[in-house]
Amino acid sequence: MTEPDVLDLWEHSVREHADGPALVTPHRVLTYRDADRLTDAWAAFLAERGAGPGELVGLAFGDPARTVLGMLAALKAGAGFTVLDDRLPPAARTALVARTAAAVWLGDGAHAPEGAHVPHGPAEDADATEPARPVRRAGGSDVAYVLFTSGSTGRPKGTVIERDALRRFAAAVASRLELTPHDRWLQVASLGFDVLIEEVFPAFAAGAAVVCREDTRALDAEELHVALARTRITVVELSTQYWLEYARWLDGNGTAAPETLRTVVVGGERMDPVPYRRWQARQSAALAHVYGLTECTVSSTFYTGLLPSDAEEVPLGTALQDVEISIRQDGRPVPDGGTGEIHIGGPLLARGFLDDEEATAGRFVPDPYAARPDARVYRTGDLGRIGPDGQLVFLGRVDDQVKIRGHRLEPARVERALCEDGGVGQAVVFPDPETGTALWAFTVPADPATAPPPGEAVRLTGADRDALVAPLEAQLPDWAVPRVLYRVSVLPKNPHGKVDKRRLATWAAAAASPTPAAPAAPASAPAAPGSGGCGPEPLGTVLALFREVLDAPALGPDDNFFDHGGQSLLALRLLARLRESRPAASGLRASALFTAPTPRLLADALAARAVAHP
């Protein structure tokens, strides 16, 4: 008897919902029959070039729809796939391409490796003749995909997920979220991020539609709202901080999420109960709070209940089918209600890390308490407990690993990179205490003569800051680069001998407080003729919003947004606030801040837009 395969879920949807939408793009709707024929042709193309069981197909498209088609085609060829994130700097992309040793690459654009192929796209018709799918059927233990996460050594870890784990995961999520062929799931995750898997395969397992955007640019809250309504989305998954931005925008505009939206999946970081309750009181769309890791095939637990009024934490929920959750200390299960490290077991575990037996053995350990002799558990490094209601609750980290905008990061990787600069003797990196969405770095100079007095922190700006940031930008993704940097004479320690990050944050606050706020441009100055009100007054408005969003009351009109902790989520918030007061900001993308990163430059850009579009 042939063992079940992840493609069985797809083929069932093709048989039962052949004329239903499978993939929706801005230019075309592909039915399950259309997508099946097209990916059969792509699979044959891949097989001819060496793709098959045990091999990888690399995907480097900037188009999300082609990426989804490529994932399906690779599985049909019997191969696994890997997705190259287009936000990675060139050196990191080159290293990952070499490590994957893919049999064939599909892709286009500047980030695609040399020699990548571009088969028929979703806007083109496949040949009229019925394509023959490759007959090299893979087994459940063959690789389905490899995705990369941060590593503490500077070498990202490639997680190898097998086909049987992907099949079980897709079916379990479809069941838990009660997906139907009438659902439409909006694809918003960055390509190369494991949430992409959760956006695609459960929907296909249920015969639902995956709705893709035209490109991978981040949507701000207003754009997300418009996209959800226009495409009649029923399910979307957002990182915790992204969801908070959307909820804040809805509240600020006194509006509700689109009526078609029934479920918002939220995860990646700790959830504050206050906005969670506020959403549940004001919005009809249900929340599904999820927890999981790339090494355990994306999400492992789901919480979908109404949060009790006395809950101090939003639970992580209960385990998916085929997932085993246990709380252990020193490898031993703790009594009910006890605190310990969260361990995840069951058939959804990854095979391990690509070409890294030592790291695999350190995290994927034998389970002496399981009935199966070959059972393993994954040591998550997260602290938690299971409450009386059976819900898993997150309580922090065992180690120093952090989450930044939904991405896991080992700060040691960034600290090591900072210390490669000859002028830096020591460094510590951690998320900003206020929002947790950007990284702060504190450095101790190698030459004590250049250090500030003990107990003080000096904010690095201009050339000093650029000299440290530029090398990081060349090897790390944007979210992993510290945007606020300080110089200190020593890294203070707490009674446990660890770096006292709270004291460092206090030093940083003291460094900012004595400086008086730079004066805003006068609000009473007359507007330039034909400028739509964008004379000197907008500089005052823009400067005030920069200060508000960055929580930097001393910010001046020529200070750079990114030098003061700005990053993509804060850019989305700034643009949303600008649109509330400046008509000229309508349609302005967050990417505008890269060309106009100071209040003065952005005010000038708004004035120019007002003149061009009075």
Side-chain angles (χ1 to χ4, degrees):
M1 182 177 177
T2 304
E3 63 180 314
D5 185 65
V6 63
L7 288 178
D8 295 339
L9 302 175
W10 169 260
E11 290 167 356
H12 178 268
S13 293
V14 172
R15 288 193 304 271
E16 298 297 320
H17 313 290
D19 295 319
L23 191 63
V24 179
T25 80
H27 308 292
R28 183 181 177 188
V29 176
L30 286 171
T31 67
Y32 271 90
R33 180 185 290 111
D34 295 334
D36 192 49
R37 293 184 65 252
L38 183 55
T39 51
D40 276 356
W42 281 32
F45 176 92
L46 292 171
E48 291 173 358
R49 287 158 179 79
E55 299 288 345
L56 284 177
V57 171
L59 303 172
F61 291 111
D63 175 7
R66 286 192 172 192
T67 302
V68 172
L69 291 169
M71 294 192 299
L72 189 56
L75 293 172
K76 285 186 172 185
F81 60 83
T82 190
V83 183
L84 191 61
D85 192 334
D86 61 358
R87 301 168 306 163
L88 289 175
R93 290 201 302 266
T94 300
L96 290 190
V97 169
R99 286 183 60 193
T100 56
V104 58
W105 278 90
L106 301 181
D108 54 15
H111 81 292
E114 185 177 355
H117 301 277
V118 183
H120 288 292
E124 304 172 62
D125 289 318
D127 295 336
T129 57
E130 198 73 24
R133 183 184 302 181
V135 296
R136 300 170 66 190
R137 189 175 179 90
S141 61
D142 282 317
V143 59
Y145 64 84
V146 173
L147 292 181
F148 289 86
T149 59
S150 168
S152 60
T153 63
R155 174 182 161 95
K157 292 181 288 188
T159 302
V160 183
I161 300 295
E162 296 177 348
R163 296 173 77 101
D164 187 59
L166 179 56
R167 175 186 67 84
R168 292 171 182 268
F169 168 76
V173 174
S175 175
R176 179 63 68 93
L177 294 180
E178 299 180 344
L179 299 180
T180 76
H182 301 293
D183 280 308
R184 298 164 68 90
W185 194 317
L186 181 64
Q187 194 285 306
V188 295
S190 301
L191 306 183
F193 190 26
D194 67 349
V195 173
L196 173 67
I197 304 299
E198 190 156 75
E199 295 173 320
V200 171
F201 289 98
F204 285 163
V210 176
V211 180
C212 289
R213 297 175 291 122
E214 191 161 14
D215 53 41
T216 61
R217 290 181 297 174
L219 300 174
D220 66 26
E222 182 177 1
E223 291 168 329
L224 173 65
H225 184 71
V226 170
L228 293 171
R230 186 185 67 247
T231 55
R232 307 186 309 282
I233 296 301
T234 63
V235 183
V236 67
E237 182 159 359
L238 307 175
S239 69
T240 304
Q241 291 297 328
Y242 194 5
W243 171 78
L244 285 169
E245 289 297 320
Y246 182 46
R248 185 182 290 114
W249 183 87
L250 289 174
D251 288 346
N253 286 273
T255 191
E259 291 183 2
T260 55
L261 185 65
R262 70 172 183 87
T263 302
V264 182
V265 183
V266 184
E269 297 166 73
R270 178 189 171 273
M271 173 69 73
D272 188 335
V274 175
Y276 199 89
R277 289 194 189 95
R278 185 183 299 125
W279 177 283
Q280 291 188 324
R282 300 181 182 183
Q283 304 294 339
S284 60
L287 293 175
H289 190 217
V290 299
Y291 164 78
L293 301 98
T294 305
E295 294 88 344
C296 305
T297 315
V298 203
S299 296
S300 296
T301 65
F302 279 65
Y303 176 73
T304 55
L306 286 174
L307 189 65
S309 59
D310 60 347
E312 297 180 357
E313 293 285 341
V314 180
L316 301 178
T318 56
L320 281 178
Q321 182 179 343
D322 290 324
V323 174
E324 300 164 4
I325 301 291
S326 60
I327 306 298
R328 306 186 184 193
Q329 286 184 350
D330 299 323
R332 297 187 179 91
V334 303
D336 291 346
T339 297
E341 183 179 4
I342 300 171
H343 286 60
I344 300 178
L348 268 63
L349 290 191
R351 178 189 300 171
F353 298 117
L354 183 67
D355 299 329
D356 196 335
E357 293 182 3
E358 182 178 354
T360 298
R363 284 292 189 183
F364 297 87
V365 299
D367 185 2
Y369 301 97
R372 301 185 310 277
D374 59 344
R376 301 175 303 155
V377 286
Y378 181 76
R379 298 172 51 245
T380 66
D382 292 327
L383 289 173
R385 61 177 170 79
I386 297 177
D389 56 358
Q391 304 285 348
L392 178 65
V393 177
F394 176 75
L395 299 175
R397 285 288 302 175
V398 174
D399 54 24
D400 290 328
Q401 188 182 91
V402 299
K403 279 281 188 85
I404 292 292
R405 286 136 64 187
H407 300 271
R408 281 186 296 152
L409 177 71
E410 300 280 0
R413 180 184 178 193
V414 186
E415 293 162 0
R416 220 175 245 106
L418 280 167
C419 291
E420 289 176 1
D421 183 287
V424 176
Q426 293 177 282
V428 66
V429 171
F430 56 91
D432 73 278
E434 184 67 26
T435 70
T437 62
L439 287 176
W440 283 8
F442 289 80
T443 63
V444 177
D447 180 2
T450 63
E456 293 186 12
V458 174
R459 178 78 172 265
L460 297 182
T461 59
D464 288 341
R465 176 189 175 279
D466 293 345
L468 293 179
V469 169
L472 302 183
E473 291 179 326
Q475 57 181 299
L476 299 172
D478 172 75
W479 51 266
V481 176
R483 296 301 173 186
V484 176
L485 293 90
Y486 290 93
R487 180 179 293 145
V488 294
S489 62
V490 66
L491 297 180
K493 300 294 194 297
N494 62 24
H496 303 289
K498 294 188 176 182
V499 174
D500 193 335
K501 297 170 185 175
R502 184 173 300 178
R503 198 188 311 180
L504 287 173
T506 301
W507 292 356
S513 59
T515 307
S524 58
S531 68
C534 284
E537 183 272 334
L539 177 56
T541 301
V542 174
L543 179 57
L545 290 177
F546 266 66
R547 290 171 174 173
E548 173 192 323
V549 169
L550 294 173
D551 191 23
L555 193 83
D558 297 307
D559 285 334
N560 190 294
F561 178 81
F562 299 101
D563 289 352
H564 290 266
Q567 35 80 4
S568 59
L569 278 172
L570 293 181
L572 297 179
R573 186 184 303 176
L574 176 63
L575 266 294
R577 295 284 285 113
L578 272 173
R579 291 195 191 100
E580 296 172 5
S581 58
R582 307 305 310 168
S586 178
L588 197 67
R589 301 290 302 231
S591 57
L593 280 168
F594 289 105
T595 54
T598 71
R600 193 185 307 279
L601 289 174
L602 190 56
D604 289 346
L606 288 173
R609 287 173 64 89
V611 171
H613 307 284

